[in-house]
Amino acid sequence: MTLKPKILDRYIMKKFIMTFLIALLIIIAIVIIFDISEKIENFVEHEVPIKSIIFDYYINFIPYFINMFSPLFVFITVIFFTSIMASNSEIIAILSGGVSYHRMMVPYLVSAALIALLSLGLNLFVIPRSNASRVAFETKYIDQHYNYTKYSRNNVHYQIAPGQFVYVQSFSAYNNTAYKFTLESIEDNKLVSKLTAESAVWDSTMDGWHLRRYFIRDYTKGLEDHVRCGEALDTVIALKLSDFYRNQKTVETLTQKDLEALIATQKMRGDANVMYAQIEKNRRMTLPFSAFILTIMAVALTSHKKRGGIGFNIALGIGLAFLYILFLKFSEMFVFTGTLPAGLALWLPNFVYIIIAAILYKMAPK
């Protein structure tokens, strides 16, 4: 059988895309069913409207889920339909018809590119906005019992502007209050003023802080310092309430522009939570790229006809795809522990799998 290249391209791309979409629909339906069964008590307890469950949560949950497990979907898709093609001797017919192994890979890579572009588009433009609604829903109806503990923090050190440093001994999310508040101003490596307060309460009406029992010391070049104190003082500084609520979930709701701005601000402040934003930034790029690597691996593993049918190939594909996702999650620990920078840690699984894919691809034509 001789297949013309254009017909071959359409044939493989159609199988790739259609199998990918069918796998998505089936797995999403299964996941939603299990998710509903897990959260049904929360929905009933808080009397969540059906409309809110569908449009505020699950409609926004689907893009998030698709993107998170897109490597698994791509790998299983290619493993599945390529194994069937090999089992039906279609791969042998294609190669016998004069199409080289490298040429046969073209429609696979084009399909992978389409999926990678879809994933990248979701990451940059769709998912941040949908995550905002999803996270708000989860905070209101699912995680609310843990919010106060989750967002309370101790020993916060920030550089809020060049020469301005804030220290907070503890922050309570219960009443949006920072305790043992200190603001230091430094010029030419010298302390010029220091403001301390027993507490600082966020005031949304003025977008600033209401200080209680404050004490201000202005340091002069002479022997005398200027000291002021009082029971209450309002101040507006470059420290917002949202700065205490930044975590892994909140950075998922930021657009790429806002994410870059947050990273720059947190680096300037010396904020340890910058790792969440850096992980999110690199994850948005690494996942789409994985479509190419896993496609090449899947074709190399399944393009040969094997005894026993396609069961082994599917099992192998699921195992390798889950290992990739596990590796990707595990690599985040290198960032949390300070072992590797976020850029290197999040790209490490792709680097390792590129080597594996190259070896498998080199062996496949043989």
Side-chain angles (χ1 to χ4, degrees), residues 6-282:
K6 289 184 179 180
I7 297 176
L8 172 64
D9 294 340
R10 289 196 296 269
Y11 180 71
I12 292 178
M13 289 177 65
K14 182 179 178 181
K15 279 184 171 291
F16 195 142
I17 301 300
M18 291 302 297
T19 307
F20 178 77
L21 293 176
I22 292 171
L24 273 182
L25 292 174
I26 294 174
I27 296 176
I28 287 172
I30 294 172
V31 168
I32 288 177
I33 291 171
F34 278 101
D35 193 69
I36 290 175
S37 64
E38 180 183 351
K39 296 182 173 64
I40 188 67
E41 290 184 5
N42 295 92
F43 297 157
V44 174
E45 179 184 352
H46 298 103
E47 299 180 351
V48 187
I50 297 295
K51 181 180 179 181
S52 183
I53 294 174
I54 296 174
F55 293 100
D56 293 339
Y57 184 60
Y58 282 110
I59 291 296
N60 295 303
F61 172 81
I62 290 172
Y64 171 78
F65 178 81
I66 289 174
N67 187 66
M68 179 184 293
F69 292 99
S70 60
L72 175 63
F73 296 148
V74 169
F75 205 32
I76 292 177
T77 294
V78 179
I79 287 281
F80 181 74
F81 82 83
T82 306
S83 295
I84 293 177
M85 289 176 63
S87 180
N88 294 334
S89 300
E90 292 180 66
I91 301 293
I92 295 175
I94 291 171
L95 298 177
S96 299
V99 178
S100 68
Y101 193 85
H102 304 301
R103 177 62 184 84
M104 187 187 72
M105 286 297 302
V106 171
Y108 281 99
L109 295 178
V110 171
S111 300
L114 293 175
I115 293 173
L117 288 174
L118 172 64
S119 178
L120 186 62
L122 288 174
N123 271 333
L124 298 181
F125 304 109
V126 178
I127 291 177
R129 291 179 174 83
S130 65
N131 276 346
S133 298
R134 180 182 61 83
V135 170
F137 182 94
E138 290 177 344
T139 302
K140 184 176 181 180
Y141 297 115
I142 300 172
D143 299 328
Q144 62 175 0
H145 298 298
Y146 307 97
N147 287 340
Y148 294 147
T149 302
K150 186 189 334 182
Y151 293 119
S152 297
R153 302 183 49 195
N154 297 315
N155 298 320
V156 178
H157 296 264
Y158 281 154
Q159 176 178 287
I160 60 174
Q164 279 195 319
F165 298 85
V166 164
Y167 169 73
V168 172
Q169 187 178 83
S170 63
F171 173 77
S172 173
Y174 178 77
N175 53 8
N176 291 331
T177 300
Y179 295 97
K180 301 299 181 182
F181 177 90
T182 301
L183 174 64
E184 296 179 340
S185 297
I186 297 176
E187 294 180 4
D188 299 325
N189 296 321
K190 293 182 179 180
L191 182 64
V192 296
S193 70
K194 183 175 182 179
L195 182 155
T196 60
E198 185 176 291
S199 63
V201 182
W202 177 254
D203 189 340
S204 59
T205 59
M206 68 172 183
D207 203 27
W209 299 90
H210 181 71
L211 307 182
R212 294 172 180 169
R213 296 184 183 178
Y214 71 92
F215 185 93
I216 302 175
R217 181 185 293 272
D218 295 317
Y219 298 90
T220 63
K221 294 182 180 180
L223 297 177
E224 294 184 1
D225 296 335
H226 300 289
V227 178
R228 291 169 287 156
C229 61
E231 287 296 317
L233 177 69
D234 292 334
T235 182
V236 177
I237 57 177
L239 180 70
K240 305 301 180 183
L241 182 65
S242 59
D243 292 320
F244 291 99
Y245 286 82
R246 300 290 187 192
N247 66 4
Q248 193 165 7
K249 276 194 174 183
T250 55
V251 297
E252 292 175 356
T253 67
L254 300 178
T255 64
Q256 195 68 13
K257 182 179 178 180
D258 291 338
L259 192 62
E260 295 282 1
L262 176 63
I263 291 173
T265 300
Q266 290 184 320
K267 280 184 175 180
M268 182 271 293
R269 291 178 172 178
D271 188 351
N273 284 336
V274 69
M275 60 185 176
Y276 293 119
Q278 291 175 326
I279 288 173
E280 178 65 19
K281 174 188 173 182
N282 286 279

